[in-house]
Amino acid sequence: MSGSDAPEPMTARRSGALTGRAHVPGDKSISHRSLILGAMCVGETRVEGLLEGEDVLATAAAMRAFGAEVADSGEGGWSVHGVGVGGFGEPADVIDCGNSGTGARLVMGAMATTPITATFTGDASLRSRPMGRVTEPLADFGARAVGRPGGRLPMTITGAMDPVPVNYTMPVASAQVKSAILLAGLNAPGETVVIEREATRDHTERMLRGFGAGIAVDEEADGRVITLEGHAELRPQVISVPRDPSSAAFPVAAALIVEGSDVLVPNVGINPTRTGFYATLREMGADLTLENEREEGGEPVADIRARFSPELKGIEVPPERAASMIDEYPILSIVSAFAEGRTIMRGVGELRVKECDRIDAMATGLRASGGAVREGEDWWEIEGMGPAGVPGGARVEARLDHRVAMSFLCLGLGAKDAVTVDDAAPIATSFPTFSALMSELGASLDPVKAG
Ligand code: S3P
């Protein structure tokens, strides 16, 4: 699992033009959901383009522990023989979700309305993250959870014997919480209703519809109202996973800040609930185009082309855009440091409970690299250094956070002096090919030799 005992430091140095095609891995969110929904129907679901990162492999192992057969058929092709809604068996051992909040929270939801008991744990990062946001609505279905203080893992959940449907208004904008409730609702009688004031990524809704569940989404005055018919019978699917826009963000951002770059990232998911980062970059003046827009397997996809953009301008990112780019703020802070003027990000308190406190991690590393950052509980702002460039020259902490590690390595590619990340191992959770792919484009990335 990520964050193994031996850290793997890596150094990024100012690079020549990044050019070529960047085939980033499959979408992490859709990959988790493919395995979980595949496990919740009887018959074989086939998945092409699955992200074979540690997070998703932990979910594959979890699905096996609950009784599904999950097999790698080679070259990103996977097959899942599911056990049906309500068919999960009791795992013989603890479920280790590694670094993955998505895996932990969605699997908790999927088992919460089946009368079995399972204990969940994860790495030090995941064990520090709040699970009460999921276990509270799951308790409304009749599930019981006992964890460490503050709703932390390890945690044992006993699923409801006689689940009741739930009507839940989300207190936080979280696709993980929404999805946990919907997955639990599959095995409850009647209708489960989730109301979200701010739209979060809607892959679960789209995929549930594809798997044959009765699900309706209504845009109403008080938000998106999602109604799911319980006691669903899901039909196995053939799924083609688009490439991850959150992973594409790294080669795209690097191309914008490294002189002379021109990078194409093909087949990227551009679901509107995920593309706030790209809208923001355009507003900053990035040379960015979406080419070949099309629809594949119920999700919009496109090829994204990014070229060196020396005239980026700092902007105020609209807070209502936060959910659609929640994973991209770390890399946006790096791009902002290369822009002229200030970039302000508000309404982003959720960043403090991701794989680490991402505002603190990025602010600390940026300051060490010569940047100026101001922050409050749910906002931060970066003072751009424009054409003068970012000094760099720091050793920064990744804090078991893949996106923090990749963000600072991108910084090093454009900064005057090299940037070293203390541990690049967590990158394998979502983007195991990151260093090879970036090197192929021309990035100067080197593991630091021990001793
Ligand atoms: C995810 C939702 C987001 C995101 C995470 C993946 C998902 O978390 O940060 O990387 O697949 O549902 P929240 O829903 O908690 O914001």
Side-chain angles (χ1 to χ4, degrees):
M1 290 281 134
S2 61
S4 64
D5 294 333
E8 297 171 19
M10 185 171 279
T11 298
R13 291 186 179 77
R14 190 172 193 135
S15 301
L18 306 178
T19 53
R21 288 173 173 256
H23 294 286
V24 302
D27 189 274
K28 182 158 72 67
S29 295
I30 296 176
S31 294
H32 283 294
R33 288 160 173 78
S34 299
L35 297 175
I36 296 169
L37 289 171
M40 296 179 88
C41 40
V42 176
E44 184 188 13
T45 287
R46 290 209 310 276
V47 190
E48 290 299 327
L50 189 86
L51 163 63
E52 295 177 350
E54 289 172 356
D55 276 13
V56 175
L57 297 179
T59 291
M63 291 302 96
R64 288 190 195 103
F66 283 102
E69 281 175 37
V70 183
D72 174 1
S73 39
E75 293 180 10
W78 285 69
S79 91
V80 185
H81 285 270
V83 290
V85 168
F88 278 5
E90 190 159 278
D93 204 347
V94 172
I95 304 293
D96 186 349
C97 297
N99 188 251
S100 180
T102 309
R105 294 180 175 132
L106 268 57
V107 175
M108 286 177 177
M111 57 82 51
T113 44
T114 302
I116 53 174
T117 294
T119 299
F120 294 84
T121 193
D123 71 3
S125 158
L126 188 57
R127 281 184 274 115
S128 73
R129 297 180 66 184
M131 294 296 151
R133 54 176 57 197
V134 179
T135 54
E136 277 159 27
L138 296 183
D140 294 348
F141 285 99
R144 281 176 293 129
V146 182
R148 289 164 60 231
R152 305 294 199 264
L153 302 184
M155 176 175 276
T156 298
I157 300 192
T158 300
M161 174 75 81
D162 292 307
V164 289
V166 159
N167 188 316
Y168 193 75
T169 301
M170 304 265 296
V172 285
S174 168
Q176 294 178 357
V177 175
K178 170 178 68 177
S179 302
I181 298 168
L182 292 173
L183 292 171
L186 287 171
N187 199 38
E191 288 183 343
T192 285
V193 179
V194 185
I195 302 167
E196 54 176 10
R197 292 191 196 94
E198 294 167 61
T200 62
R201 64 191 69 195
D202 65 354
H203 306 299
T204 303
E205 296 92 303
R206 287 173 186 248
M207 292 178 76
L208 278 170
R209 194 169 296 124
F211 273 87
I215 182 163
V217 180
D218 297 300
E219 307 288 343
E220 294 185 6
D222 50 351
R224 283 178 86 238
V225 180
I226 306 154
T227 308
L228 175 78
E229 284 167 31
H231 283 162
E233 208 168 300
L234 303 183
R235 290 188 300 269
Q237 297 298 303
V238 175
I239 299 169
S240 174
V241 181
R243 292 168 194 262
D244 198 325
S246 298
S247 297
F250 296 101
V252 163
L256 300 182
I257 62 176
V258 174
E259 200 171 334
S261 297
D262 185 351
V263 168
L264 186 76
V265 191
N267 299 326
V268 183
I270 53 160
N271 178 315
T273 60
R274 297 286 300 280
T275 48
F277 175 64
Y278 297 99
T280 301
L281 291 180
R282 281 230 188 84
E283 285 172 19
M284 294 175 79
D287 185 349
L288 195 71
T289 45
L290 295 192
E291 300 172 1
N292 200 11
E293 284 186 44
R294 59 209 182 272
E295 175 130 345
E296 278 177 16
E299 290 278 351
V301 294
D303 306 336
I304 302 181
R305 183 161 194 180
R307 296 186 186 89
F308 175 53
S309 302
E311 293 183 2
L312 294 168
K313 300 266 178 291
I315 63 161
E316 173 144 10
V317 184
E320 61 276 11
R321 194 179 282 164
S324 71
M325 54 178 290
I326 196 67
D327 290 336
E328 282 66 75
Y329 284 97
I331 186 63
L332 178 66
S333 72
I334 300 298
V335 176
S336 304
F338 287 85
E340 186 100 59
R342 184 177 297 167
T343 294
I344 305 167
M345 303 172 255
R346 295 190 209 282
V348 291
E350 278 294 294
L351 295 180
R352 298 216 180 260
V353 290
K354 292 293 177 185
E355 283 80 334
C356 72
D357 177 341
R358 284 182 168 162
I359 296 179
D360 187 59
M362 294 308 300
T364 305
L366 271 166
R367 287 183 192 123
S369 307
V373 184
R374 290 179 61 234
E375 62 179 288
E377 195 39 43
D378 70 346
W379 63 271
W380 50 325
E381 54 187 41
I382 316 289
E383 216 54 67
M385 280 169 274
V390 182
R395 183 182 170 94
V396 301
E397 288 179 6
R399 303 195 190 172
L400 288 183
D401 189 322
H402 50 136
R403 299 198 204 282
V404 170
M406 289 187 277
S407 296
F408 282 121
L409 290 171
C410 289
L411 168 65
L413 302 179
K416 286 184 203 132
D417 292 318
V419 173
T420 296
V421 168
D422 69 339
D423 188 10
I427 294 173
T429 60
S430 70
F431 199 160
T433 53
F434 174 78
S435 125
L437 178 149
M438 295 299 290
S439 303
E440 183 82 1
L441 297 175
S444 176
L445 286 179
D446 295 298
V448 179
K449 306 254 171 351

